[in-house]
Amino acid sequence: MIQGIGASAGVAIGKAFVLPNWEWSLPDTQVNAVDLANEFERLYEGIRTSKDEIEFIKREFREIVGPEESSIFDAHLAILDDPVFMSEIRGIIERQYKAAEVAVKEAIDHFVAMFDLLDDEYMKERAVDIKDVGNRLLKHLLGAPEVILPSDTQPYILVAKELSPSQLAHLNPTYVLGIVTMMGGKTSHSSIMARALGIPLVAGLENKLVNPIQTGDMLVLDGETGAVQLHPDETTVIKFASMRDKQHKKREQLEQLATVEAITKDGVTLRLVGNISSVKELNLAQKYGAEGVGLFRTEFLYMDRNTFPTEEEQFEVYKLVAEKVGSSTVVIRTLDIGGDKHLDYFQLPEEQNPFLGYRAIRISLDRKDMFKTQLTAIMRASAYGNVKMMFPMISSVDEVQAAKAMLDEVKEELEQRGIPFNRNMPVGIMIEVPAAVMIADLLAEEVDFFSIGTNDLVQYVLAVDRMNEQIAHMYHPYHPAVLRMIRMTVEAARNAGIDVSVCGEMAADERSLPLWLELGISELSMSPQALLRVKHRALNTVASDARRVAVACFRNRTSSETEEQLGAFSERSGATLGANGESKEKTS
Ligand code: PEP
Ligand code: MG
């Protein structure tokens, strides 16, 4: 068995189709000075055709997976308008008298090599985008044919060195059983798109194969664990087929719970709501029975575009979400960029410790123009449903007061403009920084609710970077320090009489349920994919038994004891459904 990176969950069994390398080797063609104008004309024509083609793919892809994933192609269009990339190409033609295609190839190689050198996954991904766009441009300059994928044959497992978003967009999901790539990882655009399409994907097999995979080779893969087997024997195929069938069956069983109330065997009711970052995810959350939205990560509205979204653009999305949740509620979190989340058009400073740096509310309070636009758009949407607003990464009372003061200004301005809004819209904060836990009593006097962001809380309490694979084994949500922090937050909220919920990944881990039941937390917000699994666990749990286990967990001295006890209780409370076949929530 070969071990890659599980990037999109699900099991696939089938024959490989190996995508030919889309690499061009070109003769170093020179042109005469008099022909330079002609080369520029060819270049501009190639750019125009490439743009038309990208626009077309974007429209097509939007139909399949929705506007957010298809907006990856906006980044591609932006590359073709990028002054640095374009001036590099023009410079090579002009100064070295090279043919347009040679200049494009050299410019791609130059930027790809530059980004590849950086020890930063995000920048490496930009290299993939440049290669993808550059190859498209080359294809037009050379009049070369498109790589033909087998779409009218038997379903296949696509094998590629790396898969660009354009190539993925061309795939017909009905024929693609799974994908294996040599490069890439969980956060690559192709992996994000594969998850949206529900295609299992294992990435990062570079240097792990003794023999290269050939078209027609039999393969099995598990996109959850990252396991791949080339030429599997019959026993392995049977094993994977049974895993795949079980996953499909579990999924079907779970889907029947969508309309069932989340209530424990002894009558404790939970409110399961969704974490979303787009309207499409809201649709999914509603399909899986979410009773509202506990966290709308708005930063995804700001990504894969060239400029900040306008008040009007944001308002339209927030309003749509507010209307779609109807009588239930949506918690809209203000922009949380920085850390690992970047915007192409907003230069963040180089930082030694980005997660401890210029991030979230710190940026918003610094960039008042941008913040005010967002606050205005959210306030306007509050007239169309049950909207709540939430500020991320709060670490002091001053920050909350400053944000609220800006909100007051926004309210005044809206009043003057005669635009309707809900004057009493609840305002809350994420509790995800240890300082906020320690002053939770003071913060509770300032806001209407708390939402515990365990993804960041765990990393900040334990000083374990949530993105660092090397110390991933130290990232312990069940560490006694984390559990104490959570309990302190709940106690402060309770004393102040405000609501508290959990929206980090811990809420999506059904084993944690006893902790929430003991603490009296009834609202849990999680990725749409986790909703039914957690509901299933709640339906099979006796709350009074669960509380007894939790009491012991809160006394434990180590995370492993708690993990063991919660795991054992989970097993006892009915068949464990696990996360097979369901993609995990993005924790960034
Ligand atoms: C969290 O930190 O737990 C959280 C929900 O926010 P994000 O994962 O977006 O940082
Ligand atoms: Mg967070």
Side-chain angles (χ1 to χ4, degrees):
M1 202 66 74
I2 311 153
Q3 190 58 46
I5 301 166
S8 174
V11 168
I13 305 166
K15 289 199 171 154
F17 173 78
V18 181
L19 196 68
N21 254 350
W22 218 15
E23 292 282 347
W24 311 89
S25 76
L26 305 172
D28 195 9
T29 314
Q30 298 264 341
V31 291
N32 294 324
V34 286
D35 292 332
L36 284 185
N38 187 35
E39 288 312 297
F40 280 118
E41 193 35 55
R42 288 182 60 228
L43 174 69
Y44 297 137
E45 179 59 32
I47 291 173
R48 274 193 296 274
T49 321
S50 300
K51 279 187 176 171
D52 289 349
E53 203 172 62
I54 295 171
E55 287 285 3
F56 177 77
I57 296 173
K58 185 179 149 191
R59 276 197 302 275
E60 266 201 334
F61 202 63
R62 180 191 290 259
E63 296 295 308
I64 309 174
V65 297
E68 283 71 27
E69 275 74 13
S70 67
S71 68
I72 285 169
F73 294 102
D74 288 331
H76 285 197
L77 290 168
I79 292 172
L80 288 173
D81 283 328
D82 186 273
V84 182
F85 184 54
M86 284 304 140
S87 85
E88 176 79 15
I89 299 174
R90 279 196 300 267
I92 298 172
I93 300 177
E94 211 161 44
R95 286 190 290 278
Q96 302 177 33
Y97 299 136
K98 296 205 173 172
E101 59 272 20
V102 181
V104 169
K105 174 84 171 79
E106 286 186 9
I108 302 172
D109 291 347
H110 168 73
F111 285 106
V112 168
M114 198 168 87
F115 284 142
D116 265 348
L117 275 183
L118 301 174
D119 194 17
D120 178 322
E121 274 311 309
Y122 179 80
M123 295 315 279
K124 283 192 199 302
E125 278 308 313
R126 303 289 70 75
V128 176
D129 288 337
I130 289 183
K131 222 191 231 176
D132 193 5
V133 174
N135 278 338
R136 179 176 304 285
L137 184 51
L138 273 182
K139 184 185 78 175
H140 291 301
L141 287 168
L142 294 164
E146 189 90 60
V147 173
I148 306 291
L149 288 164
S151 60
D152 51 353
T153 59
Q154 293 295 311
Y156 56 93
I157 293 178
L158 186 68
V159 179
K161 183 160 191 279
E162 61 189 5
L163 199 60
S164 66
S166 305
Q167 289 168 319
L168 216 148
H170 274 306
L171 301 179
N172 180 346
T174 356
Y175 289 106
V176 186
L177 300 166
I179 300 171
V180 171
T181 63
M182 302 306 122
M183 318 297 285
K186 275 190 182 149
T187 56
S188 67
H189 276 151
S190 308
S191 301
I192 296 170
M193 287 165 74
R195 286 197 288 273
L197 291 166
I199 304 175
L201 188 152
V202 175
L205 284 193
E206 177 93 324
N207 301 327
K208 298 203 174 142
L209 292 166
V210 183
N211 297 309
I213 304 172
Q214 313 274 359
T215 292
D217 283 350
M218 188 66 190
L219 280 180
V220 294
L221 68 91
D222 181 351
E224 177 83 28
T225 62
V228 174
Q229 179 73 59
L230 181 59
H231 306 305
D233 57 21
E234 208 183 320
T235 327
T236 312
V237 173
I238 292 171
K239 186 177 130 203
F240 273 72
S242 124
M243 272 161 63
R244 183 194 55 197
D245 297 346
K246 269 193 205 138
Q247 282 173 6
H248 289 170
K249 211 154 145 211
K250 271 178 208 161
R251 200 70 232 162
E252 277 164 20
Q253 283 170 351
L254 280 178
E255 281 178 16
Q256 309 205 330
L257 300 180
T259 52
V260 173
E261 223 186 330
I263 180 160
T264 66
K265 281 189 158 168
D266 46 351
V268 179
T269 305
L270 292 165
R271 189 164 177 269
L272 304 185
V273 290
N275 289 354
I276 63 161
S277 52
S278 63
V279 177
K280 183 170 67 68
E281 270 186 324
L282 172 60
N283 296 339
L284 208 58
Q286 291 184 322
K287 177 176 164 206
Y288 297 147
E291 295 179 58
V293 173
L295 170 64
F296 180 4
R297 289 182 165 106
T298 57
E299 48 277 11
F300 290 88
L301 290 183
Y302 289 67
M303 290 180 181
D304 285 321
R305 39 181 301 141
N306 306 325
T307 51
F308 284 109
T310 62
E311 177 188 315
E312 214 50 40
E313 283 173 315
Q314 294 190 56
F315 165 63
E316 285 302 329
V317 178
Y318 303 150
K319 174 172 170 257
L320 183 63
V321 171
E323 285 174 342
K324 275 173 95 71
V325 297
S327 58
S328 151
T329 47
V330 50
V331 180
I332 304 182
R333 180 176 75 181
T334 61
L335 190 60
D336 184 10
I337 50 164
D340 65 319
K341 291 181 231 168
H342 301 257
L343 304 180
D344 291 342
Y345 52 89
F346 180 56
Q347 211 59 47
L348 287 167
E350 272 293 314
E351 292 179 299
Q352 292 283 351
N353 295 299
F355 275 109
L356 301 182
Y358 196 54
R359 193 189 160 192
I361 193 73
R362 300 171 182 185
I363 297 182
S364 294
L365 291 175
D366 189 42
R367 291 291 306 260
K368 294 201 164 45
D369 47 341
M370 177 196 83
F371 192 35
K372 223 164 159 182
T373 305
Q374 182 172 39
L375 294 182
T376 309
I378 299 173
M379 279 314 302
R380 284 177 59 190
S382 72
Y384 297 86
N386 285 321
V387 174
K388 297 183 182 184
M389 184 187 287
M390 177 159 77
F391 302 124
M393 213 199 171
I394 292 293
S395 60
S396 71
V397 168
D398 309 83
E399 281 169 339
V400 182
Q401 288 177 343
K404 280 180 15 186
M406 291 211 46
L407 196 55
D408 285 340
E409 272 178 43
V410 164
K411 288 180 185 171
E412 287 313 308
E413 284 170 15
L414 282 174
E415 212 141 63
Q416 276 164 20
R417 285 162 68 189
I419 295 177
F421 63 93
N422 174 11
R423 205 159 239 299
N424 301 315
M425 178 191 66
V427 173
I429 54 172
M430 300 272 302
I431 299 287
E432 50 185 349
V433 176
V437 177
M438 300 311 289
I439 58 164
D441 55 333
L442 307 179
L443 293 169
E445 290 171 12
E446 301 286 334
V447 294
D448 301 306
F449 65 93
F450 287 162
S451 184
I452 306 177
T454 57
N455 303 338
D456 277 315
L457 187 61
V458 173
Q459 81 161 341
Y460 292 134
V461 173
L462 303 181
V464 174
D465 183 342
R466 71 196 248 190
M467 303 296 289
N468 189 335
E469 295 282 328
Q470 215 165 357
I471 48 167
H473 63 283
M474 297 175 72
Y475 186 94
H476 288 306
Y478 299 133
H479 191 294
V482 175
L483 298 190
R484 286 184 189 190
M485 288 264 170
I486 294 174
R487 182 149 67 182
M488 282 177 72
T489 307
V490 174
E491 281 167 2
R494 185 146 310 132
N495 290 339
I498 64 167
D499 289 338
V500 57
S501 58
V502 182
C503 67
E505 182 74 4
M506 261 178 105
D509 183 346
E510 68 268 39
R511 293 173 308 168
S512 308
L513 204 55
L515 305 176
W516 317 135
L517 290 166
E518 167 60 12
L519 292 170
I521 295 181
S522 56
E523 183 172 307
L524 303 172
S525 192
M526 62 199 76
S527 75
Q529 305 282 1
L531 285 161
L532 295 173
R533 184 161 38 82
V534 173
K535 188 186 284 187
H536 177 267
R537 171 63 55 238
L539 292 168
N540 286 290
T541 297
V542 178
S544 54
D545 292 347
R547 287 195 195 106
R548 268 193 294 280
V549 174
V551 168
C553 291
F554 279 108
R555 288 201 200 110
N556 283 338
R557 301 160 68 90
T558 63
S559 12
S560 49
E561 285 168 289
T562 299
E563 192 157 358
E564 242 169 65
Q565 289 163 7
L566 290 177
F569 179 74
S570 203
E571 296 268 332
R572 286 201 301 277
S573 314
T576 303
L577 271 152
N580 272 349
E582 301 155 24
S583 56
K584 289 247 167 79
E585 160 145 352
K586 40 183 162 285
T587 56
S588 58

